[in-house]
Amino acid sequence: MPSYKLTYFNARGYGEAARILFHLADVPFEDFRMTHGDGTWEKLKEKTPLGQVPVLSVDGFEIPQSAAIIRYLANKFGYAGKTPEEQAWADAIVDQFKDFMGSFREVGKAHAAGKPAEEIAKIMQSDVVPARDAFFVIINGILEKSKSGFLVGDGLTFADIVVVECITTLDKNQLFTPAGEPKLVALREKVYAIPAIKKWVEIRPDTQY
Amino acid sequence: MPSYKLTYFNARGYGEAARILFHLADVPFEDFRMTHGDGTWEKLKEKTPLGQVPVLSVDGFEIPQSAAIIRYLANKFGYAGKTPEEQAWADAIVDQFKDFMGSFREVGKAHAAGKPAEEIAKIMQSDVVPARDAFFVIINGILEKSKSGFLVGDGLTFADIVVVECITTLDKNQLFTPAGEPKLVALREKVYAIPAIKKWVEIRPDTQY
């Protein structure tokens, strides 16, 4: 078995779906977590392929970009969809998630510029909230047509993991109202009930993002 | 052979890489192009899977999201990379392109809000230009290490097509300086010299985007 190392911050963020895939497949990996502000990232940055994390190292071969990493692992471990058409739909849902995350762009810029909390809250309302609502409409629409309760086909794919982790992080940051989103809550419960995922979710580091 | 239909606007944009893959593989497809403002899109929108185009129909099965569409076609036609690791790198480059395109977000909002040209030009300078420069640094770095002149491995992948089409559209809109980017120009020449692509590029509709 190859030697895997995932380099990311001590956060779920763009690294957690990869971690979940490793736990799901029961494949050992080094879960290397950097702490913001301790200088590790500043030193490591220029050694990464694209100046970004997460990076997945497979026997020393480095893969950047979170979606590329999880697609690679999902293909290896059997969670990328069962047909080319299912794979395309799993990919499309992950791209839709990425498009939604783009709505945090101005929030990130405001944070970096040290803007006051009220200004950041205003950008959250103008940018993130409508994008979240549009994303939820799409995911609800897909779940409405699903016979299995999963987003694609009759089993778990990396698209379910990405969407559920997104919900978890929105929820931890007062951007998700469980009572208003029964289908999304059901998806989260379904995914978190899978024994290997359940076990990991119970013991994983509790971080804000 | 399945019956393929690509639905998009009369633009290269997020549809062109798919068209190029069809021409490259010599696979017939319906190139359905809508004209902005003639009402076709407004009528079609709610019938698309996610309220967006491009959409690829494969014998009536619909796939949304441009990157999912081209990955699906690249896998079918043999342009997705020759190993799982090459595929991951092609994916990562396409994700990097998507991240760069995120820098047009505020430009799009300003256009939609009817903001004056000077204000849009200011956003281009603050958002798009630095993101473009960072993207070009990444692509140049990859090309520097390439032995084949292609971005991934020793042959063409959909990542080359996406990057070259991005360069073409930047160039058509005064956002690319060929003299300053010899490696990117060489990549574009290499890709456009492939006979099936050359033939299509010569006859394709000439649009601004």
Side-chain angles (χ1 to χ4, degrees):
Chain A
M1 196 179 290
S3 165
Y4 293 105
K5 178 179 178 177
L6 183 77
T7 299
Y8 192 58
F9 292 104
N10 183 30
R12 291 181 312 284
Y14 287 108
E16 190 64 14
R19 295 186 188 116
I20 289 178
L21 284 163
F22 279 118
H23 286 283
L24 194 58
D26 200 18
V27 169
F29 73 107
E30 185 185 347
D31 188 3
F32 184 70
R33 291 166 181 253
M34 298 179 289
T35 304
H36 272 290
D38 74 353
T40 314
W41 169 231
E42 288 66 23
K43 265 183 272 179
L44 195 69
K45 189 173 160 68
E46 64 176 35
K47 292 182 191 154
T48 63
L50 306 181
Q52 303 162 358
V53 282
V55 169
L56 175 68
S57 164
V58 185
D59 284 337
F61 180 86
E62 294 190 314
I63 300 170
Q65 279 283 2
S66 59
I69 290 170
I70 57 175
R71 187 175 300 109
Y72 174 84
L73 294 175
N75 269 308
K76 281 214 159 179
F77 301 158
Y79 297 98
K82 295 190 179 80
T83 62
E85 287 70 30
E86 283 191 14
Q87 293 205 13
W89 261 91
D91 284 348
I93 292 165
V94 173
D95 277 331
Q96 204 65 41
F97 159 74
K98 278 195 63 136
D99 287 352
F100 162 50
M101 291 306 290
S103 74
F104 284 90
R105 190 181 159 86
E106 295 303 304
V107 176
K109 278 162 70 179
H111 264 296
K115 295 282 165 87
E118 312 85 72
E119 201 166 318
I120 292 171
K122 226 175 116 183
I123 303 172
M124 289 295 288
Q125 283 305 318
S126 65
D127 286 26
V128 176
V129 168
R132 175 204 63 189
D133 293 346
F135 180 57
F136 283 180
V137 165
I138 284 173
I139 301 300
N140 272 302
I142 295 170
L143 288 171
E144 212 150 286
K145 289 181 199 142
S146 164
K147 291 190 186 99
S148 67
F150 290 112
L151 288 165
V152 181
D154 61 4
L156 183 78
T157 64
F158 70 125
D160 296 296
I161 298 173
V162 163
V163 169
V164 163
E165 285 305 304
C166 169
I167 292 168
T168 289
T169 295
L170 291 174
D171 202 0
K172 271 191 171 278
N173 293 278
Q174 291 75 52
L175 283 162
F176 183 73
T177 312
E181 294 291 351
K183 282 192 188 66
L184 301 187
V185 170
L187 178 68
R188 180 167 63 174
E189 283 173 3
K190 193 174 174 75
V191 170
Y192 283 174
I194 294 168
I197 298 182
K198 183 178 159 70
K199 200 175 143 196
W200 168 240
V201 166
E202 277 168 10
I203 62 162
R204 68 183 174 185
D206 184 22
T207 56
Q208 188 70 18
Y209 299 103
Chain B
M1 196 179 290
S3 164
Y4 293 105
K5 177 179 180 178
L6 183 76
T7 299
Y8 193 56
F9 291 103
N10 184 29
R12 291 181 311 283
Y14 287 109
E16 189 64 13
R19 295 186 187 115
I20 289 178
L21 284 163
F22 279 118
H23 286 283
L24 195 57
D26 199 18
V27 168
F29 72 108
E30 184 185 348
D31 188 3
F32 183 71
R33 292 166 181 252
M34 299 179 287
T35 303
H36 272 291
D38 74 353
T40 314
W41 169 232
E42 288 66 23
K43 264 184 272 177
L44 194 69
K45 190 174 160 66
E46 65 175 34
K47 291 183 191 154
T48 63
L50 306 180
Q52 303 160 358
V53 283
V55 169
L56 176 68
S57 164
V58 184
D59 283 337
F61 180 85
E62 292 190 314
I63 300 170
Q65 279 283 2
S66 59
I69 289 169
I70 57 175
R71 187 175 299 108
Y72 174 83
L73 294 175
N75 269 308
K76 281 215 160 180
F77 301 157
Y79 297 98
K82 295 190 178 82
T83 62
E85 287 70 30
E86 284 190 14
Q87 293 205 10
W89 262 92
D91 284 349
I93 292 165
V94 172
D95 277 331
Q96 206 64 41
F97 158 76
K98 279 194 64 135
D99 287 351
F100 161 50
M101 291 305 290
S103 73
F104 284 90
R105 190 180 158 87
E106 295 303 304
V107 177
K109 277 162 71 180
H111 264 296
K115 295 281 164 87
E118 312 85 72
E119 200 165 318
I120 292 172
K122 224 174 117 183
I123 303 172
M124 289 294 287
Q125 283 304 317
S126 66
D127 286 26
V128 176
V129 168
R132 174 204 64 188
D133 292 347
F135 180 57
F136 282 0
V137 165
I138 284 173
I139 300 300
N140 271 302
I142 295 170
L143 289 172
E144 213 150 286
K145 290 183 199 139
S146 164
K147 290 189 187 98
S148 66
F150 290 112
L151 288 165
V152 181
D154 61 3
L156 182 80
T157 64
F158 69 125
D160 297 296
I161 298 173
V162 163
V163 170
V164 163
E165 285 304 304
C166 170
I167 293 168
T168 289
T169 296
L170 292 174
D171 202 1
K172 270 190 172 280
N173 293 278
Q174 291 76 51
L175 282 161
F176 183 72
T177 314
E181 293 292 353
K183 284 192 186 66
L184 301 186
V185 169
L187 178 69
R188 180 167 63 175
E189 284 173 2
K190 195 174 172 74
V191 170
Y192 283 175
I194 294 167
I197 298 182
K198 184 178 160 69
K199 199 174 143 194
W200 168 241
V201 167
E202 277 167 9
I203 61 162
R204 69 184 174 184
D206 184 23
T207 57
Q208 188 70 18
Y209 299 103

